[in-house]
Amino acid sequence: MITGSQCHAGRALVEISRAELASRSRVDELIIEQFEHEMELPGPAAIAAIQKALEDLGAVFICEDGGGIGVRLKAPKPAARHGSEKKGGGGLRAGHNAQ
């Protein structure tokens, strides 16, 4: 089960608002706010719904393992290479400065 801090961090990582999380999880926005500020602990079903919504968007929650709890993003799947890509990669071209 995630903590309020993990909820807040997960929401930041997947870049959604509290309102969007409320809509996706079907948990009232005020309950999510109170949970994130550790003012109120929602029931287990609400926390599970919040966690699932964030996981569906790419958050991965890390349990206490001696290094502390946390949250990170799923590793992106490697992009398929297209035949139209130029060989040699896409670095800066000679004469162009990075701004």
Side-chain angles (χ1 to χ4, degrees):
M1 186 162 50
I2 65 171
T3 66
S5 295
Q6 283 178 300
C7 176
H8 187 263
R11 195 169 53 76
L13 282 172
V14 299
E15 299 179 347
I16 63 167
S17 67
R18 233 179 248 128
E20 178 68 17
L21 179 55
S23 174
R24 288 175 176 269
S25 66
R26 297 193 171 132
V27 175
D28 188 87
E29 186 176 349
L30 181 58
I31 291 172
I32 294 171
E33 181 179 8
Q34 291 174 337
F35 179 47
E36 288 182 348
H37 292 290
E38 298 182 3
M39 296 166 43
E40 189 80 31
L41 184 64
I47 295 174
I50 292 167
Q51 182 171 344
K52 181 175 181 342
L54 291 168
E55 287 173 341
D56 289 348
L57 292 167
V60 176
F61 295 98
I62 303 163
C63 299
E64 174 63 58
D65 62 357
I69 62 170
V71 61
R72 65 176 178 228
L73 287 175
K74 283 183 193 172
K77 293 181 182 177
R81 295 198 61 132
H82 299 289
S84 63
E85 290 181 11
K86 293 181 181 179
K87 290 184 180 179
L92 292 175
R93 292 183 296 188
H96 287 87
N97 295 328
Q99 299 286 326

